[in-house]
Amino acid sequence: MKITALLVLKCMPEGADPIILANACDVSHFGFFQRSSVREFIVFVSRTVAKRTPPGQRQSVQHEEYKVHSYNRNGLCVIGFMDDHYPVRSAFSLLNQVIDEYQKNFRESWRTAQADSTEPWPYLDNALTKYQDPAEADKLLKIQRELDETKIILHQTIDSVLARGEKLDSLVEKSSDLSAASQMFYSQAKKTNQCCSIL
Amino acid sequence: MKAKAVQSSFRDRTQEFLSVSERLRKSITSGTSQNGPSSSSSRAEEKRSVVAHQSEFNRRASKIGFGIHQTSQKLSKLAKLAKRTSVFDDPTMEIQELTAVIKQDITALNFAVVDLQLFCNSKNEGGVSSDTSSHSTTVVDDLKNRLMSATKEFKDVLTMRTENLKVHENRRQLFSSTASKDSPNPFIRQRPLAAKSAAGASNNLPQWANGSASSSQLFPRKQVDAESQPFLQQQQQHQQQMVPLQDSYMQSRAEALQNVESTIHELGTIFNQLATLVSQQGEIAIRIDENMDDTLSNVEGAQGALLKYLNSISSNRWLMMKIFFVLIFFLMVFLFFVA
């Protein structure tokens, strides 16, 4: 359930290597000495995948224990490195969001980029941390989860209502017994009053 | 019957027994009528036909009983299969075959028992001793009861099986919609980077699809089937891999939406049931209230009556006068006797 990196690349036409426009990596779970090599590895793999993603397509590639999801939209390609547990649909919805946000922020300025840009883009970093939980990214998943919780609560409610029904049944029995007993009591009292007044 | 002595308390019926056994033997082995010491030929004929009838009845009854026994054995096997059914290797085919076989058997046994009962009734119209008729009716009733219990067991097994299927469906739905709580499939790790289409296909199947047979594993769920079908073709046609991947994304979203909609629908029904239950219980509460009111009025009336009684007892002017009169009366009687 982990996102390791999110990148936005510009796909060059005709086979040249794509250019990185924004990069957010979370390599904290690697040892200190491996971090730079992991970053380079991420960069390399993302370039490769972006080069091989045709425009207007989504793609998911399995690499060792990561899944790399890429979405290419009109030359702007956004790539996410996630682990196997991350649901694919949430991954793609997250990529959609990122690419929309990027286009909103940068309009078309990325088209003129020629070299890897190294400025950090805060939105991407925020997104990386915020969307570690797939439910955040995917509203459908969130709704489904909440609905399931509601269903569980309702089941419990129905159980307690049934228990309440049982208690009410026992109460009704007891109250009817009580009413019968009180009736007998009344008739007995009346009898003792009536018949022995001679003596 | 010969009473040997006055003190003997038994009756020697040996002769009777011998004659009856001879009669039976002769009626079974030969076809000639036999004059027993106490039976006429017509009666022997009757007894023979009755015996033949009875043996026919017994044969059929035993066949039916045997059939019921076999069916109940098959039913126990089916129950075991239905109980052990797991999510992965569901022996659906066997269970369905077994169910069909058992259903056929039960219907055939039903017919046979009905036939047997008709047969028994028709035989009872001939002048037969009441013991035989009651025995045959008892046998037929016993067979019917056993058949009914077997049918009930069958129904229970089927309900258990449907419940299991429902549980598996829920579990699968849970997993396929979130696909986040499963352990990673070890087979997926060995895919090389170049196998993009295969990776893309397997990513969208439920995580615990066996990686080795990802394309051939067909689950009974229709939605997964609908998804795996395009995947099968996709794996064969490398060219068209992109379009089905888009489709699969859209399909998965559509599936998630459908799940949400069905969940909301279920929630609606649950709420309705809740409302029904609560309204029914409201009625019960009203009844309790009425009962308590009745009790209250009864107790109040009884209390009033007791109060009156207390008053009448505590102020016993009348009583004093009565006692006084009784005393005077006894005094008078006493005086009259003495004086």
Side-chain angles (χ1 to χ4, degrees):
Chain A
M1 307 290 281
K2 198 166 159 28
I3 308 181
T4 308
L6 286 172
L7 294 98
V8 180
L9 297 96
K10 168 185 164 203
C11 286
M12 306 295 289
E14 315 310 322
D17 271 346
I19 298 179
I20 294 186
L21 299 167
N23 185 340
C25 297
D26 177 18
V27 288
S28 49
H29 58 277
F30 291 108
F32 182 70
F33 295 107
Q34 301 167 333
R35 282 183 197 175
S36 53
S37 58
V38 166
R39 275 205 198 94
E40 294 201 4
F41 157 76
I42 287 177
V43 162
F44 170 69
V45 169
S46 56
R47 271 200 234 268
T48 320
V49 171
K51 193 155 84 168
R52 302 223 177 115
T53 312
Q57 288 300 335
R58 297 184 172 87
Q59 195 170 237
S60 299
V61 179
Q62 176 76 33
H63 181 68
E64 286 168 18
E65 66 265 9
Y66 291 110
K67 281 210 179 78
V68 183
H69 305 278
S70 70
Y71 176 41
N72 187 333
R73 191 198 280 183
N74 298 334
L76 189 64
C77 185
V78 59
I79 293 190
F81 283 70
M82 283 116 181
D83 66 354
D84 285 337
H85 298 284
Y86 208 91
V88 180
R89 215 183 49 244
S90 323
F92 281 121
S93 68
L94 170 60
L95 294 180
N96 265 339
Q97 273 182 353
V98 168
I99 212 171
D100 287 336
E101 188 69 30
Y102 189 82
Q103 284 196 318
K104 208 164 52 174
N105 277 353
F106 293 94
R107 298 302 146 81
E108 300 290 319
S109 62
W110 54 272
R111 288 202 193 265
T112 56
Q114 294 303 323
D116 289 347
S117 91
T118 45
E119 326 166 334
W121 183 26
Y123 175 76
L124 209 57
D125 295 323
N126 288 343
L128 189 61
T129 47
K130 189 164 81 157
Y131 292 126
Q132 291 290 336
D133 180 15
E136 291 286 324
D138 194 8
K139 297 225 168 40
L140 280 177
L141 210 57
K142 216 195 307 200
I143 292 178
Q144 179 72 31
R145 204 182 276 186
E146 284 179 8
L147 280 176
D148 287 337
E149 284 174 11
T150 313
K151 205 153 65 141
I152 289 182
I153 291 181
L154 271 182
H155 280 300
Q156 289 172 353
T157 311
I158 288 210
D159 283 340
S160 47
V161 162
L162 284 175
R164 173 178 180 261
E166 266 180 59
K167 290 202 188 117
L168 276 178
D169 280 339
S170 78
L171 266 183
V172 104
E173 291 272 342
K174 290 202 181 118
S175 68
S176 64
D177 288 344
L178 194 60
S179 131
S182 74
Q183 232 169 0
M184 290 220 334
F185 175 44
Y186 185 33
S187 57
Q188 284 281 1
K190 265 203 294 195
K191 251 194 327 184
T192 47
N193 221 1
Q194 297 289 53
C195 68
C196 306
S197 56
I198 315 173
L199 299 171
Chain B
M1 89 200 90
K2 291 187 269 187
K4 288 237 163 108
V6 182
Q7 289 95 357
S8 71
S9 58
F10 63 87
R11 288 198 298 206
D12 188 8
R13 303 181 87 161
T14 327
Q15 295 289 42
E16 272 187 46
F17 180 71
L18 287 175
S19 60
V20 165
S21 62
E22 267 207 16
R23 199 182 339 131
L24 271 179
R25 195 170 8 111
K26 286 189 184 131
S27 72
I28 290 180
T29 53
S30 74
T32 62
S33 62
Q34 171 63 33
N35 286 338
S38 55
S39 66
S40 59
S41 58
S42 62
R43 274 191 70 194
E45 277 274 352
E46 219 176 70
K47 285 228 166 60
R48 214 190 19 244
S49 74
V50 163
V51 164
H53 229 147
Q54 187 69 16
S55 58
E56 164 84 20
F57 175 78
N58 282 343
R59 254 206 316 275
R60 288 166 76 157
S62 69
K63 228 179 354 184
I64 293 181
F66 185 58
I68 293 183
H69 176 65
Q70 272 181 335
T71 311
S72 55
Q73 270 181 338
K74 276 186 225 161
L75 201 57
S76 64
K77 230 187 324 186
L78 179 67
K80 232 187 323 188
L81 273 178
K83 237 181 287 199
R84 90 171 170 93
T85 177
S86 71
V87 186
F88 295 100
D89 57 343
D90 207 18
T92 325
M93 288 317 298
E94 301 176 16
I95 288 189
Q96 280 174 354
E97 284 176 18
L98 208 49
T99 322
V101 161
I102 288 185
K103 213 183 297 201
Q104 278 176 0
D105 282 345
I106 287 190
T107 36
L109 283 171
N110 220 1
F111 280 138
V113 163
V114 163
D115 280 346
L116 187 66
Q117 190 173 23
L118 284 177
F119 181 74
C120 160
N121 285 343
S122 70
K123 178 194 56 162
N124 281 344
E125 277 142 29
V128 168
S129 74
S130 65
D131 281 339
T132 335
S133 64
S134 71
H135 166 72
S136 31
T137 37
T138 324
V139 164
V140 168
D141 281 337
D142 180 49
L143 287 173
K144 260 197 285 196
N145 280 340
R146 274 200 271 174
L147 190 60
M148 214 171 324
S149 61
T151 326
K152 219 180 297 183
E153 260 186 52
F154 185 49
K155 229 178 291 187
D156 286 336
V157 165
L158 283 179
T159 42
M160 184 173 53
R161 164 125 183 94
T162 42
E163 275 174 19
N164 273 348
L165 277 178
K166 231 183 285 180
V167 164
H168 295 330
E169 284 261 343
N170 281 344
R171 238 184 264 155
R172 268 197 206 118
Q173 211 180 52
L174 201 66
F175 285 146
S176 73
S177 64
T178 65
S180 58
K181 299 180 186 127
D182 287 300
S183 55
N185 200 319
F187 291 113
I188 293 188
R189 294 204 187 156
Q190 299 160 5
R191 300 263 175 76
L193 187 65
K196 294 185 205 143
S197 61
S202 66
N203 283 346
N204 284 317
L205 279 177
Q207 288 278 2
W208 33 262
N210 281 334
S212 58
S214 66
S215 55
S216 59
Q217 187 94 347
L218 287 177
F219 290 100
R221 272 194 79 205
K222 302 188 202 102
Q223 290 160 329
V224 175
D225 274 347
E227 272 190 284
S228 60
Q229 280 307 323
F231 292 22
L232 280 175
Q233 294 148 11
Q234 168 190 350
Q235 292 207 340
Q236 293 156 11
Q237 297 161 25
H238 189 78
Q239 300 284 4
Q240 305 174 357
Q241 55 169 320
M242 287 306 155
V243 172
L245 190 53
Q246 288 281 60
D247 279 350
S248 71
Y249 174 61
M250 296 303 166
Q251 266 177 3
S252 60
R253 283 181 77 89
E255 179 193 326
L257 274 173
Q258 276 174 355
N259 280 346
V260 166
E261 186 200 340
S262 63
T263 317
I264 292 183
H265 192 61
E266 279 174 16
L267 280 181
T269 43
I270 291 183
F271 270 115
N272 276 341
Q273 286 175 358
L274 192 63
T276 321
L277 278 176
V278 171
S279 66
Q280 281 173 355
Q281 288 178 359
E283 242 179 59
I284 295 182
I286 289 181
R287 267 208 307 205
I288 292 181
D289 193 31
E290 284 176 7
N291 276 345
M292 295 314 293
D293 285 340
D294 284 343
T295 309
L296 181 66
S297 62
N298 279 339
V299 166
E300 275 181 359
Q303 189 204 20
L306 283 181
L307 263 180
K308 268 198 293 185
Y309 190 52
L310 174 71
N311 280 339
S312 66
I313 285 203
S314 55
S315 72
N316 42 10
R317 222 182 299 151
W318 271 117
L319 195 63
M320 256 193 293
M321 275 203 278
K322 277 186 219 152
I323 293 178
F324 193 58
F325 281 147
V326 167
L327 273 176
I328 300 260
F329 176 64
F330 271 124
L331 221 67
M332 294 295 176
V333 165
F334 193 54
L335 282 173
F336 275 144
F337 271 134
V338 168

